Amino acid sequence: MNDKPVKIRSPWTRAILPNLGGLAVLGLIGLMLWGFAAFISRGDTATSDRLAPSILRVGSVTNVADEIVDKGPILFPGLGTTDGERTIVLDHTGDDPAVGWVVYYAYPAGGDGSCVVEQVRDSDGKGTRRFTDCDGNTIDVSELSPPPRGVNPVVENKRLLSIDLSGVTSNAAL
């Protein structure tokens, strides 16, 4: 019996075999990731809560209301888009943190979703209730576009704030 390991002597073979081994490992990793994704989606191509949750948990109504008083309405950019078309703005008015919540799209009412607004900052760098659109016009938060039906703030037990996004995550809205 010959117990000596086989030595690869050809330079070409010594260069190619490690590369082929590396490609095989990368292929197995890719196949494994595809398997995980297929398992998570369970073959369903429709949007689901597993892949795109329809509820965005924001936090305590008191903390978020205080944040809006201090720094202005809160922008939630993107929501799964690269162009900011579904960027939303969360606003609160009034003294009761459990009521007075409003959600807007981050573009002017009656305008185009490609004209995403920017929040105007004060001299201290804090956000205000004013926004500048793509044409340079300054508008109030109340002049932003309302989102579609099914996108609205939800207060649970007068303490926890969420945003219901079922209007943009359901198959009907896609």
Side-chain angles (χ1 to χ4, degrees):
M1 279 247 150
N2 188 2
D3 292 335
K4 292 184 180 181
V6 177
K7 289 187 178 181
I8 301 170
R9 295 187 180 200
S10 165
W12 187 83
T13 307
R14 289 190 339 206
I16 295 297
L17 283 180
N19 287 322
L20 289 176
L23 287 174
V25 168
L26 288 175
L28 289 173
I29 291 171
L31 188 62
M32 184 177 66
L33 290 175
W34 176 82
F36 288 151
F39 175 74
I40 289 171
S41 69
R42 291 180 179 76
D44 190 7
T45 58
T47 303
S48 70
D49 277 344
R50 291 187 310 268
L51 299 175
S54 61
I55 300 289
L56 174 64
R57 305 267 182 231
V58 180
S60 160
V61 291
T62 305
N63 293 346
V64 178
D66 290 345
E67 178 84 9
I68 290 174
V69 167
D70 189 40
K71 297 179 182 173
I74 301 172
L75 276 80
F76 292 94
L79 295 181
T81 65
T82 57
D83 58 4
E85 185 176 308
R86 281 193 255 159
T87 296
I88 61 172
V89 177
L90 177 64
D91 188 29
H92 179 260
T93 56
D95 294 330
D96 185 356
V99 296
W101 294 99
V102 183
V103 174
Y104 300 100
Y105 268 151
Y107 56 88
D112 180 345
S114 65
C115 183
V116 180
V117 296
E118 290 185 30
Q119 193 170 26
V120 175
R121 304 272 175 202
D122 64 14
S123 59
D124 295 331
K126 294 182 179 179
T128 66
R129 298 181 58 76
R130 311 283 298 158
F131 292 84
T132 304
D133 68 9
C134 58
D135 296 326
N137 301 320
T138 302
I139 59 174
D140 186 70
V141 67
S142 62
E143 297 175 78
L144 295 175
S145 180
R149 193 169 11 153
V151 177
N152 54 301
V154 176
V155 176
E156 300 169 30
N157 297 325
K158 295 188 177 187
R159 13 177 242 120
L160 183 63
L161 177 65
S162 302
I163 300 175
D164 180 3
L165 299 171
S166 60
V168 292
T169 58
S170 69
N171 287 335
L174 296 177

